[in-house]
């Protein structure tokens, strides 16, 4: 069976262009009713106009789909609540939220103004928090929800000049980890998508031939899987140029060293063992770290 969104209602933020537009169009093509949100600002977040969202709505409707436009800033919780109410008034439910809205204010950390750091955190992290909070009770009541956070390799692995963006994007992974645990009882599945795509956000950052290979459309299949009825939860899917990977936050087996004055020196000497990745695990909750540590400590004390 194919992935089908008939009867489902989706909200896609930052959907006036680039990757968000492709997400909205793809969901609509497969039957979803889509609220297309876009502030219509520049790449750095300045300005605003609902015309970009209106254009995507017109495109969806021309193809026979159902869509409405919204120009709320995801940084304004009251406006986000009104956006969600707009979807509820139109269609009576919200099944899918794709947190895609974002801006860039790239500079090396030494040269970065703290206001630019805070703004990027506010849009990416708090924007996703606002939208997720506004749909959470609705999804819990209907016992169904699919939430996609847009993370980035810049957060997972770092990228020069993007300390603000990377910090925000990695924070979204932490948000996903806990929300997936809390949402499980109500079939709210929360995942992260780490896209590599040529959009307005990446203009000037990559050679033209690379940008041609990284069309946004190639990322969309990963979003559709994460938003689908059969979606996983707590998964970080990476996608770009038709290739799909998964990223994981792992924990090594570690080494028990006990307590005492010489432990720092012992840790230095055995750091290669501590960081050895053979047998590493993907913890199911934060408690796994403590369990591993206490277990080794108990075993170590018995052998002392």
């Amino acid at each position: 069976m194919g992935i089908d969104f008939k009867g489902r209602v989706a909200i896609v933020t930052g959907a006036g262009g680039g990757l968000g537009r492709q997400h909205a169009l793809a969901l609509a093509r497969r039957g979803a009713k889509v609220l297309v949100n876009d502030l219509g600002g520049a790449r750095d977040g300045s300005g605003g106009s609902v015309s970009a969202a209106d254009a995507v709505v017109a495109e969806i409707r021309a193809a026979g789909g159902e869509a409405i436009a919204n120009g709320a800033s995801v940084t304004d919780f009251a406006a986000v609540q009104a956006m969600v109410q707009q979807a509820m008034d139109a269609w009576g439910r919200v099944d899918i939220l794709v947190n895609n809205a974002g801006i860039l204010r790239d500079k090396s950390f030494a040269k970065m103004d703290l206001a630019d750091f805070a703004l990027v955190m506010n849009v990416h992290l708090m924007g996703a928090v606002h939208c997720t909070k506004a749909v959470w009770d609705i999804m819990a009541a209907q016992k169904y929800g699919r939430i996609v956070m847009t993370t980035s390799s810049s957060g997972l692995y770092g990228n020069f000049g993007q300390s603000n963006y990377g910090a925000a994007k990695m924070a979204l992974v932490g948000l996903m980890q806990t929300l997936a645990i809390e949402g499980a009882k109500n079939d709210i599945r929360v995942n992260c998508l780490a896209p590599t795509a040529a959009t307005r956000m990446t203009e000037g950052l990559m050679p033209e031939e690379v940008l041609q290979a990284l069309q946004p459309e190639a990322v969309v299949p990963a979003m559709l899987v994460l938003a689908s009825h059969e979606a996983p939860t707590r998964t970080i899917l990476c996608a770009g140029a038709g290739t799909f990977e998964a990223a994981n936050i792992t924990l090594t087996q570690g080494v028990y060293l006990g307590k005492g004055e010489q432990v720092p020196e012992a840790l230095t000497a055995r750091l290669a063992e501590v960081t050895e990745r053979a047998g590493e695990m993907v913890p199911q909750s934060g408690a796994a770290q403590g369990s591993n540590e206490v277990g080794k400590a108990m075993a170590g004390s018995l052998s002392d």
Side-chain angles (χ1 to χ4, degrees), residues 64-137:
E66 288 188 53
I68 53 177
N70 179 276
S73 168
V74 294
T75 64
D76 182 343
F77 185 50
V80 167
Q81 288 177 304
M83 173 187 75
V84 172
Q85 190 59 51
Q86 182 184 357
M88 291 295 290
D89 290 344
W91 300 309
R93 60 187 296 117
V94 177
D95 301 286
I96 298 160
L97 169 64
V98 181
N99 285 307
N100 174 75
I103 64 169
L104 290 177
R105 294 283 179 98
D106 291 356
K107 277 186 181 177
S108 68
F109 188 67
K111 297 178 180 178
M112 185 176 295
D113 188 276
L114 283 178
D116 285 342
F117 199 105
L119 180 60
V120 169
M121 291 291 291
N122 198 26
V123 172
H124 288 273
L125 175 57
M126 291 310 301
V129 169
H130 290 158
C131 294
T132 303
K133 182 67 172 176
V135 303
W136 192 262
D137 287 348

Side-chain angles (χ1 to χ4, degrees), residues 5 20-21 66 72 77 94-95 121 129 138 170 177 184 189-190 198 206 226 259 280:
F5 295 100
R21 171 177 169 271
E66 288 188 53
F77 185 50
V94 177
D95 301 286
M121 291 291 291
V129 169
I138 294 167
M170 195 59 180
Q177 298 280 22
R189 304 183 192 180
V190 189
M206 302 176 185
L226 296 180
K259 303 171 185 177
E280 67 183 2

Side-chain angles (χ1 to χ4, degrees), residues 250-264:
T250 64
L251 184 70
T252 68
Q253 288 294 322
V255 174
Y256 173 70
L257 298 175
K259 303 171 185 177
E261 285 295 320
Q262 296 306 308
V263 170

Side-chain angles (χ1 to χ4, degrees), residues 274-300:
V274 172
T275 59
E276 169 57 51
R277 299 192 63 179
E280 67 183 2
M281 62 193 97
V282 179
Q284 294 305 298
S285 77
Q289 177 183 332
S291 296
N292 187 58
E293 292 160 351
V294 171
K296 281 188 165 50
M298 298 296 287

Side-chain angles (χ1 to χ4, degrees), residues 166-190:
K169 289 304 192 183
M170 195 59 180
L172 289 170
V173 175
L175 180 63
M176 172 203 74
Q177 298 280 22
T178 290
L179 292 186
I181 294 170
E182 293 182 3
K185 65 183 178 183
N186 291 315
D187 196 20
I188 301 173
R189 304 183 192 180
V190 189

Side-chain angles (χ1 to χ4, degrees), residues 127-152:
V129 169
H130 290 158
C131 294
T132 303
K133 182 67 172 176
V135 303
W136 192 262
D137 287 348
I138 294 167
M139 291 181 172
Q142 65 194 22
K143 302 290 186 183
Y144 186 93
R146 301 291 182 265
I147 298 171
V148 181
M149 309 288 185
T150 305
T151 187
S152 170

Side-chain angles (χ1 to χ4, degrees), residues 16-91:
L19 190 54
R21 171 177 169 271
Q22 294 298 331
H23 288 335
L25 293 174
L27 287 163
R29 275 196 300 271
R30 289 175 178 259
K33 302 174 178 70
V34 184
L35 184 146
V36 178
N37 163 266
D38 201 283
L39 177 62
R43 184 170 70 168
D44 66 359
S46 60
S49 170
V50 78
S51 59
D54 284 332
V56 177
V57 168
E59 199 171 348
I60 290 172
R61 288 176 177 172
E66 288 188 53
I68 53 177
N70 179 276
S73 168
V74 294
T75 64
D76 182 343
F77 185 50
V80 167
Q81 288 177 304
M83 173 187 75
V84 172
Q85 190 59 51
Q86 182 184 357
M88 291 295 290
D89 290 344
W91 300 309

